[in-house]
Amino acid sequence: MTNKFMDNKFIIRLFWIVILGIIWQVIALSEVFNLTSFPRIETLLASLIKDILNGDIIIQTLYSLSLIFKGLMLGLIISIILSGISMISKVFEGFVDTVIAIAHPLPGIALLPLVILWMGIGERAIIFIIVHSVVWPLTLNLLAGFRAIPNIYKQIGKNYGLNSLKIIRYILVPASLPYFITGLKIGWARAWRAVISAEMVFGAAGSAGGLGWFIFKKRVFMDTSGLFGGLIVIILIGIMIEDLFFDKFEKMTIKKWGMSI
Amino acid sequence: MRCLLEIKEVSKSFKKDKRKVKVLNDVSFSVKKREFVSVVGPSGCGKSTLLSLIAGFDEYDEGNIYFKGEKVIAPSPERVMVFQDFNQLFPWKTVIENVLFPLNVNKKETTLNERKDLAKKYLKMVKLEGYEDYYPNEISGGMKQRTAIARALIMKPEILLMDEPFGSLDAQTRMQLQTTLIELLEEIETTIVFVTHDIEEAVVLSDRIIALGKSSNSIKDVMVNNLDRPRDRLSNKFIEKVKKVYDKIKE
C-alpha cells in the first residue's frame, strides 16, 4: 500500500519534470531568448556531465558539504551545551532565551560584512556563518523538546533507580528526538543556503572554493550552461538531504514509533 | 508484627493562586505484607496524591510514611508505580524492550539472555505472548497497561502502587485486566496499594478498602473485604458490599 503510493509520488514527480523540461526546450528552441543565456537542455546536460567528468563540480560540492558538516557538528555541540545548561539553571535559561531572541532573527548573510572584518575571508568565517545558522533553531527545538517531555517519564526513571545522568541518556534524549530532528532539518536548510551565499561572496580564498563559488565563476565567464549545472547540483543535494535522508530517518524512528510532532 | 507500610497522620497541601489547598488531611493506615488494599474516593479526594507520596515522588507536609520501618524520602525500585496514562511506556522501545528497560539500566548480574527470558515470562503472565516486538503505538490501551504491569513486576517490587491503571479502559477490557491481575496475585508475592474511583473494581480485587472523602480529604472508613475468591460480581453478597462502600463515600 505505502510502496504503491511512493511509486505513484515518484511517477508524478517524474511526469512533471519531463513536462517542465519540454516547455524549457520549446522556449530555448524558439530562440526568443539568446541561446547563450537560455541554453538548450542537451547543452546544459553536456556541460554538467563535462564538469562532473573533469571532477570540478564534485570537488567543489564535497568541499561545501564538508564545511556544512563541520559547522553542523560544531553547532550541534554548542546547542546541546546551551540547552543542557538551560535545563539545569534558571539563571542561564533566561540568558540563553535572551541571546536566542537577539540572534535568531538575524540572517547569516547579514553578518557576512562583520565576519569579514573580524575573521577575514576563509574557511573559518564560513563555518562561523554556518554555526550561526544552525545553533539558534536547534537550541530552540531542543529546549522545546526537553520541556515537552511528560513528567511521568522522569518519575518512571527515578522509580527504577536511575540517576540524573542515566535519566538524560536513556529517557530525555530519546524522548526529545522528534524535536531534535525538526531542529536539525531547519538548521540544515539554513546552513545550506548560508554556505552557498557565503562562498559566492568569499570566493575561493585559501582553497578549492565550494559550489557557491563554482556558480559565481561560471557567471563571470558567461558560461550559462555551466551555471545551470551548478544550480541542478544544488537542487539535487537539497532534495537528497531534505526529502530522502531526513524522510528516511524519520520513517525509521519517530514515524515508526508514532512520535511525530 | 511490624507492617510493611505505615502511613501516620500524613497531611499535604498544594499552593494554588497563593492559597493553600489541603489535599490530604491527617491520613493514617497501614498495609501488611501481601495485602491488597484499595483506596477509593471521588475525584479530588487526594487518593492519587497519597499514592505519589508513598512512591516518594512528592514530599508530604506533616506526618510520616514508613516503608519497612524506614521513612520514605525518595522513589525506590522497591515501590514501583503503575500509572493510568497509556503514555507510561516508552514509544521508542518495543513491548519487550520496555519490560527489559528496568533490568537493563540496573545491570544486575545476569546475562542479556537470562533477562530476556525473564521478560518473556512476565509478558506471558500478563497474557502478551507474541506481542514482544510490537511498538506501543501498534497495540491497544489494554495491552499497554498489561505491558506496564509486566515492566513493574519484573523489578520484583515489595509493593506495587497502582494509580487507576484501568481507569482509561472500556468496561470490557477493564474486567479482563482485573481478571488477569487476580490471577497474577497467585503467582507473585507483591503487596498492592490500588487507587480507583470504581467501587466494584475495589470490591472485586482487594482485601481491604479505604474510603477517602472529598470534603474532609481524610479517611472516612476502612472496610475489610473478606468475600470468598473468586468473587462473583452478580452474587448478593458482592452487590451488598458494593452498596456499603458506596454509602460510605457519597456525601
Side-chain angles (χ1 to χ4, degrees):
Chain A
M1 186 60 189
T2 37
N3 245 333
K4 208 164 178 186
F5 178 69
M6 275 295 292
D7 288 349
N8 273 340
K9 193 174 149 193
F10 182 73
I11 289 167
I12 291 167
R13 275 275 157 82
L14 206 65
F15 172 76
W16 286 111
I17 287 173
V18 170
I19 296 285
L20 286 172
I22 291 171
I23 294 172
W24 177 282
Q25 190 73 338
V26 168
I27 296 173
L29 287 173
S30 73
E31 296 194 28
V32 176
F33 305 103
N34 188 340
L35 264 184
T36 21
S37 44
F38 206 97
R40 291 199 302 266
I41 286 187
E42 66 265 26
T43 342
L44 212 152
L45 289 179
S47 160
L48 178 60
I49 290 166
K50 190 195 84 210
D51 282 326
I52 291 173
L53 287 181
N54 69 23
D56 263 12
I57 208 165
I58 295 178
I59 292 170
Q60 312 223 321
T61 305
L62 288 179
Y63 179 71
S64 293
L65 287 177
S66 80
L67 285 183
I68 291 211
F69 183 74
K70 286 180 203 164
L72 269 178
M73 285 302 128
L74 206 60
L76 188 61
I77 294 167
I78 297 172
S79 296
I80 289 173
I81 293 172
L82 286 180
S83 52
I85 304 176
S86 300
M87 288 312 289
I88 297 165
S89 141
K90 273 263 173 263
V91 178
F92 204 82
E93 189 182 353
F95 169 72
V96 171
D97 273 353
T98 312
V99 172
I100 291 176
I102 294 170
H104 187 53
L106 202 56
I109 205 74
L111 276 177
L112 264 180
L114 180 69
V115 175
I116 293 173
L117 276 182
W118 279 358
M119 302 183 158
I121 47 174
E123 209 179 293
R124 262 194 341 161
I126 297 184
I127 288 180
F128 181 90
I129 298 288
I130 297 174
V131 169
H132 166 81
S133 315
V134 172
V135 126
W136 313 119
L138 195 53
T139 310
L140 267 179
N141 274 279
L142 281 179
L143 281 173
F146 288 151
R147 285 172 190 149
I149 292 173
N151 193 34
I152 194 174
Y153 283 3
K154 289 171 225 167
Q155 288 183 332
I156 289 167
K158 282 184 200 153
N159 205 168
Y160 291 132
L162 277 71
N163 57 30
S164 303
L165 223 65
K166 277 189 173 170
I167 289 181
I168 294 174
R169 157 83 181 76
Y170 291 108
I171 299 178
L172 301 194
V173 168
S176 53
L177 189 66
Y179 291 86
F180 176 73
I181 293 177
T182 307
L184 214 54
K185 266 159 111 175
I186 300 171
W188 149 264
R190 292 206 176 173
W192 182 230
R193 285 150 184 75
V195 86
I196 301 291
S197 346
E199 280 168 352
M200 275 183 0
V201 176
F202 288 1
S207 53
L211 262 178
W213 176 239
F214 178 91
I215 53 176
F216 190 78
K217 246 180 1 191
K218 296 293 181 191
R219 202 272 302 167
V220 173
F221 294 118
M222 284 293 281
D223 179 2
T224 322
S225 327
L227 196 155
F228 273 114
L231 291 184
I232 289 173
V233 171
I234 293 176
I235 293 168
L236 283 181
I237 289 179
I239 290 178
M240 244 154 61
I241 303 277
E242 281 166 41
D243 288 0
L244 294 182
F245 173 74
F246 279 118
D247 216 50
K248 205 151 217 147
F249 187 60
E250 284 187 343
K251 279 214 178 91
M252 276 163 51
T253 56
I254 54 176
K255 289 219 171 111
K256 185 162 122 196
W257 304 331
M259 283 174 82
S260 313
I261 41 171
Chain B
M1 186 198 123
R2 201 162 189 158
C3 284
L4 184 69
L5 179 73
E6 286 172 280
I7 288 122
K8 285 190 171 161
E9 290 148 17
V10 165
S11 294
K12 167 85 184 166
S13 41
F14 287 115
K15 273 213 176 99
K16 200 193 169 197
D17 307 331
K18 290 177 190 165
R19 232 159 29 89
K20 263 190 161 185
V21 181
K22 207 140 201 172
V23 279
L24 281 176
N25 190 13
D26 195 16
V27 171
S28 299
F29 66 96
S30 52
V31 179
K32 290 198 281 288
K33 206 169 163 58
R34 293 215 62 184
E35 201 178 13
F36 194 127
V37 174
S38 286
V39 180
V40 295
S43 310
C45 71
K47 54 192 193 300
S48 287
T49 306
L50 177 65
L51 209 59
S52 125
L53 295 182
I54 299 172
F57 295 149
D58 268 322
E59 287 171 26
Y60 35 95
D61 306 335
E62 288 161 47
N64 279 307
I65 296 179
Y66 294 105
F67 174 71
K68 293 203 290 188
E70 276 175 43
K71 205 170 145 107
V72 168
I73 43 168
S76 144
E78 291 188 307
R79 285 170 271 120
V80 173
M81 177 86 102
V82 174
F83 299 86
Q84 177 179 7
D85 196 340
F86 293 155
N87 267 330
Q88 63 190 304
L89 299 182
F90 299 131
W92 59 90
K93 288 179 180 294
T94 59
V95 165
I96 193 163
E97 284 167 352
N98 264 291
V99 177
L100 276 170
F101 176 76
L103 288 186
N104 285 345
V105 290
N106 283 301
K107 289 275 186 320
K108 299 240 171 76
E109 310 298 309
T110 50
T111 65
L112 184 62
N113 273 334
E114 287 171 329
R115 277 179 256 148
K116 271 190 183 154
D117 286 342
L118 198 62
K120 279 184 189 151
K121 189 187 127 193
Y122 277 94
L123 281 173
K124 196 178 166 186
M125 273 162 54
V126 295
K127 310 215 163 16
L128 274 183
E129 249 179 324
Y131 289 97
E132 287 87 351
D133 298 323
Y134 282 66
Y135 283 94
N137 72 321
E138 299 168 326
I139 58 176
S140 68
M143 290 157 114
K144 285 180 193 169
Q145 298 310 76
R146 287 175 191 271
T147 311
I149 292 172
R151 178 176 71 180
L153 288 179
I154 205 166
M155 290 298 282
K156 295 210 166 66
E158 290 263 1
I159 191 161
L160 189 62
L161 306 169
M162 305 183 90
D163 187 3
E164 300 199 44
F166 312 144
S168 302
L169 299 171
D170 64 86
Q172 200 184 348
T173 314
R174 184 184 306 187
M175 290 220 297
Q176 287 166 355
L177 266 102
Q178 288 163 359
T179 311
T180 305
L181 186 59
I182 291 166
E183 285 166 14
L184 273 174
L185 291 177
E186 286 161 22
E187 291 184 67
I188 53 169
E189 299 190 355
T190 306
T191 312
I192 300 181
V193 179
F194 192 102
V195 161
T196 179
H197 61 260
D198 180 346
I199 293 166
E200 201 184 298
E201 182 169 73
V203 175
V204 85
L205 292 173
S206 45
D207 305 319
R208 218 145 43 95
I209 299 168
I210 293 168
L212 282 184
K214 188 177 176 178
S215 51
S216 59
N217 289 98
S218 61
I219 295 182
K220 291 185 125 184
D221 201 4
V222 179
M223 287 155 281
V224 175
N225 179 16
N226 47 16
L227 294 178
D228 292 334
R229 291 176 192 264
R231 289 172 182 161
D232 177 4
R233 289 169 209 260
L234 298 175
S235 72
N236 286 334
K237 277 184 180 168
F238 188 92
I239 294 167
E240 236 168 65
K241 195 87 195 171
V242 172
K243 262 190 197 147
K244 225 174 105 187
V245 180
Y246 180 74
D247 285 338
K248 289 285 175 203
I249 291 176
K250 72 166 186 217
E251 291 173 356

